[in-house]
Amino acid sequence: MLRKLFSRCMFETRQNLKMPCEVNTRFVILYGSQKGQAQSIAEGIAVEAEDHGLVAELSCLNQSEKYNLEKEKAPVVFIVSTTGDGEPPDNALQFVKGIKKKTLSTDHYKHLCYALLALGDTNYANFCNCGKTIERRLQALGAKQFYVTGYADDGVGLEVVVDPWLEGLWKAIKGAFASYSASDEGTTLSDARPASPVLASQSHDTASVSTAASDTHKDGGAPHVPLAASLTCSLPPLSQSSLNVPALPPPYLHVSLQDVDSREQTVGHLNNENVHEVPIERAIQLTTGDLVKTSLLLELDTSAYPTMTYLPGDSFDVFCPNRATEVEDMLCRLGLQDKKHHQVHVSLNKDTKKKGAQVPSYIPPSISLLYLLTWCLEIRTVPKKAFLRALVEHTGDTVQRRRLQELCSKQGATEYNQYVRDPGLSILEVLTAFPSCSPPLCLLIEHLPKLQPRPYSAASSCLKHPGKLHFVFNVVEFSACSGRPVGRRGLCTGWLFDLINPGKPKCSGSHALPKIHVSLRPKCSFRLPSDLSVPFVMVGPGTGVAPFIGFLQQREKERQDNPEAVFGETWLFFGCRYRDRDYLFREELEGFVTSGVLDHLKVSFSRDELEMEGNEVTTSVARPRYVQHNLLLHRQQITEILLKKNGCLYVCGDAKNMAKDVNDTLIEIIKTQLQVDQLEAMKTLAGLREEKRYLQDIWG
Ligand code: FAD
C-alpha cells in the first residue's frame, strides 16, 4: 500500500554528504517485499543515493545472481518486510533459508557491514520477524552493523520509524565508509559504534510553499480564517506555516489508450488455474436488529473443483471488483468516460531514471481501461502523502493546492492522519473534495496499488459438508466524515452484500445467486492438533468463531469415526454484543455441547445488562463482558491445559483490540498461576508460540 510513498518520500532539497574518499561511493541495497512497501523504500533509497553522490546497487533478495554477500565489502542496506505469521516475504524465502544454514561458520560474514530496516505490524504475531531473523543470523555470522536497526510498525504508520531512519541513513553510510578508510589505517569496523538515527540534526531545506491558504483568498480583502479545520481547510498555525513537502519525482510510466474495442477480452488474473468461479448456494444473515454489525454466512458450491478441498483453519481469497459507480466517477474525473473500452498500453518512460522501474505486474496486457479500473487497481486506496504531493501538480486552484501541500508536508502530518489516514479516505473521495484536481491516468497507475483479493476463513469442514465451503463476514461500514458526506460499505463485504441482497428471502433457490471467484490460500499452520487426545482452547469472538465451527464439525466427524478413541477436552470462548442479536452459530454451538464435541462453551455479551443463564459464571465476580474476562475466570483450567497437559490455544478474529487483550490476559494468567514476573510470563507465552501451541489467525 505504501509502495509509492517511500520511493518519493525524499525531501525537496538536500545537502550532499561529502565522502571522505572518492572511491567509496558504492553500496548495496537488498530488499524482501511481499506487498511492495519494502521494495518501494529500497527503490527510494536507490534514487536518493544519487543526490548524495553515491552509487546504489539495488536487488531483490531472490536475485542472488545480482549480488554476492560472500565477497561484499561495501555497506549493505537490507529492507525487509514480514508476512503472515512472521514469515519472510516470498521473494526473501530462499535467502533466509540460506542464511540459517547451520553449516555456516561464525566468521562467514565478518567482512560485511550492514544496516537493516524491518517492516512489520504489531497487530500480528512475531512483529518484524523476518528482519529480526536476518539480523540475528548476520550477527551470528560475524557481520557488523553500521546503523541502528529500524523496526517500522504498520499498525501505527510505517513512516513514524521509516522517515527518521531514512534521514539518518546517509550519515551512517558516510560513517561506514569512514570506518573502512580508518580500518585501512588500523582501526577495525567493529570499533565503530552503529550510528543512531539522527532526527534533529538533519536539516530539511524548506520548499517554497510558505504562502498560507488564508492569505491567498481570492477576494483580496481580509484573510479568511475558517472556524474549524477540515479535510479542505486548515487553521493557523498550519495555514501560516512554511512547509517541508516531499520531493516530486518525474513520472516513470507512459500510458496510452488505443481505440480497439477490448470489451471481449478475457479476464487476466481471474484466468489463473488456482482461481475458481463458484456459485453462492446459500446466504444467511446471522444477526438481527440494530446496534450490531451485519454478519452474513455464505455457502459456496465447490463441488465442480475437487482440488478445492480444504482443512478447517484454511482461508481463501475472494476476488471482488471495484464498485461500478466509483469506476464511472473515476472515469469522469479523468475525462475518459468515452474511452473506457479503449485498450490500455503501459510502458516505461524511456528516459526514466527510477531505479528498478517496472510496469506493474498486475496490469495484464491488452486490457480495457474499464477492466483496469474495475479489477486491477485498488481505487479505494487511502492516498499516501507522496500521492497527494503528486496531485498538487495537477490542481488548478491555489487554495486547494496549498491544502494538498499541507496534508503531505511534515508540518501537516497530524492533519493527514486525522483527515485522510484514520477515516480511510479513498482517492476518489479526495478528488471529490478537491474539484480542481485533474490527475492524468498514468499518475493513478503509478500510485494506486494492486486490487487485492480479500481473505476469509473457512467456517465449515469438508467432512461434514463435502463440496461446500462456508464463510462468514461482517459488512464493514465506513461512517460519514469530513471528506465523506455519506457513509459507505467496505469494498468486498459491500459487494457481497449487494450480490446476495439480504433484504430478499433468506435462502434462495439453486440458481438465484451469482457466482464469485475464489482461490484457496496456501500455507496454513492454524490446524487442529493431529493427536486427538490433546486438549485445546479456542478463543473466537464475533466472526472470529468461523474456523472453530470448522474445527468442531471436523471433531464431530472424528468422534463418529473413532468411537473408541480418547479425545482431549475442548473449550470455546465466544463473545458478542447481545445474546439475541449477534450470537453467531448459537444453535450449532449449543448442539456441539449437547453432543459432547464441545466440553465448555463460555459466552460473553458486552452489551447485555443481565447475567446470562447457562454461562456457568458465578455471580460473585463481575459479569464477563469480553472473551478475555471469561479467560481470566477460567485461568486455572487454561493454565492446566497449556502448561500441564501440553494443550493448544487458538485465537481468531480482530487483530487490533481483541488479540492484544487476549495476549495480555494470557500473560496475566501465567504470571498469577505460576507466580512469575512479567518477563518470565512473556517468555513462557513466546515458548508456546514457538511450539505452535499458541496460534493466531487474526485480521484487522
Ligand atoms: P475494505 O474496503 O478493504 O476496508 C477494510 C479496511 O478499512 C480495513 O483495513 C479496516 O481496518 C479499515 N476500516 C474498517 N472500517 C473502517 C472505518 N469505519 N473507518 C476507517 N477504516 C476502516 N473477515 C471476516 O469478516 N471474516 C473472516 O472469516 C475473515 N477471515 C480473514 C482471514 C485472513 C487470513 C485475513 C487476513 C483477513 C480475514 N478477514 C475476515 C478480513 C477480510 O479479509 C476483509 O479485510 C474484510 O472483510 C473487509 O473487507 P472489505 O473489502 O469489505 O473492506
Side-chain angles (χ1 to χ4, degrees), residues 480-493:
C481 62
S482 172
R484 182 186 301 127
V486 186
R488 59 166 160 83
R489 299 201 174 98
L491 183 68
C492 184
T493 55

Side-chain angles (χ1 to χ4, degrees), residues 118-250:
L119 310 185
D121 187 332
T122 46
N123 289 312
Y124 295 86
N126 298 319
F127 175 60
C128 286
N129 192 45
C130 176
K132 286 177 184 170
T133 305
I134 292 179
E135 166 138 63
R136 205 171 44 241
R137 287 304 291 157
L138 285 173
Q139 298 212 343
L141 300 175
K144 301 287 177 304
Q145 183 191 33
F146 70 84
Y147 183 40
V148 278
T149 297
Y151 300 100
D153 179 5
D154 207 8
V156 295
L158 290 175
E159 55 268 48
V160 175
V161 167
V162 173
D163 285 355
W165 192 88
L166 289 177
E167 283 183 47
L169 177 66
W170 304 106
K171 193 171 175 188
I173 292 181
K174 181 187 166 193
F177 285 137
S179 297
Y180 268 125
S181 308
S183 75
D184 290 345
E185 291 157 22
T187 319
T188 61
L189 187 66
S190 55
D191 299 331
R193 274 166 53 82
S196 300
V198 184
L199 302 183
S201 63
Q202 291 276 315
S203 71
H204 290 307
D205 287 7
T206 303
S208 55
V209 283
S210 56
T211 319
S214 50
D215 291 338
T216 58
H217 203 247
K218 285 190 188 114
D219 58 17
H224 163 72
V225 179
L227 289 175
S230 67
L231 174 67
T232 49
C233 280
S234 62
L235 293 177
L238 180 59
S239 61
Q240 290 163 356
S241 167
S242 295
L243 303 174
N244 297 94
V245 295
L248 179 72

Side-chain angles (χ1 to χ4, degrees), residues 315 380 422-424 454-457 472-474 476-479 490-494 521 543 546 656 697 699-700:
S315 52
R380 283 277 186 96
D422 296 347
R454 282 16 182 197
Y456 293 92
S457 307
V472 55
F473 62 94
N474 283 331
V476 170
E477 301 280 352
F478 290 84
S479 43
L491 183 68
C492 184
T493 55
R521 283 161 66 92
T543 50
K656 287 208 172 99
D697 179 12
W699 60 81

Side-chain angles (χ1 to χ4, degrees), residues 373-583:
L373 294 178
T374 306
W375 287 102
C376 304
L377 303 179
E378 178 96 46
I379 64 170
R380 283 277 186 96
T381 205
V382 180
K384 303 297 175 202
K385 290 180 197 164
F387 197 176
L388 297 183
R389 171 67 187 91
L391 291 179
V392 172
E393 302 306 301
H394 305 279
T395 305
D397 180 90
T398 46
V399 176
Q400 290 175 25
R401 280 173 71 91
R402 162 73 195 190
R403 185 55 176 149
L404 285 171
Q405 283 166 334
E406 284 171 1
L407 290 170
C408 66
S409 69
K410 266 192 129 179
Q411 292 75 4
T414 310
E415 298 217 353
Y416 170 79
N417 286 345
Q418 187 178 354
Y419 296 116
V420 182
R421 181 183 192 261
D422 296 347
L425 229 53
S426 73
I427 178 61
L428 200 57
E429 285 162 339
V430 169
L431 290 178
T432 308
F434 294 88
S436 77
C437 178
S438 305
L441 177 60
C442 75
L443 200 71
L444 254 62
I445 299 179
E446 286 187 12
H447 286 269
L448 293 180
K450 177 185 177 193
L451 176 57
Q452 296 280 358
R454 282 16 182 197
Y456 293 92
S457 307
S460 51
S461 156
C462 278
L463 297 181
K464 177 149 186 183
H465 298 283
K468 306 280 185 258
L469 170 58
H470 294 185
F471 69 104
V472 55
F473 62 94
N474 283 331
V475 180
V476 170
E477 301 280 352
F478 290 84
S479 43
C481 62
S482 172
R484 182 186 301 127
V486 186
R488 59 166 160 83
R489 299 201 174 98
L491 183 68
C492 184
T493 55
W495 173 69
L496 289 169
F497 183 88
D498 290 347
L499 278 184
I500 58 170
N501 196 350
K504 292 227 171 118
K506 272 185 191 168
C507 304
S508 310
S510 52
H511 298 296
L513 291 169
K515 294 180 173 184
I516 59 174
H517 287 90
V518 296
S519 84
L520 271 183
R521 283 161 66 92
K523 284 195 275 184
C524 174
S525 52
F526 203 74
R527 292 268 186 263
L528 273 170
S530 48
D531 179 346
L532 300 178
S533 67
V534 169
F536 61 91
V537 177
M538 300 164 279
V539 183
T543 50
V545 74
F548 304 134
I549 297 294
F551 277 16
L552 292 166
Q553 288 180 356
Q554 165 143 331
R555 187 41 72 93
E556 185 177 43
K557 195 77 178 51
E558 285 166 348
R559 288 177 81 100
Q560 287 163 6
D561 293 348
N562 304 280
E564 306 300 320
V566 177
F567 287 87
E569 65 179 307
T570 51
W571 289 69
L572 173 66
F573 290 84
F574 177 73
C576 61
R577 286 186 173 176
Y578 301 98
R579 166 184 286 257
D580 58 357
R581 295 187 207 182
D582 58 344
Y583 185 169

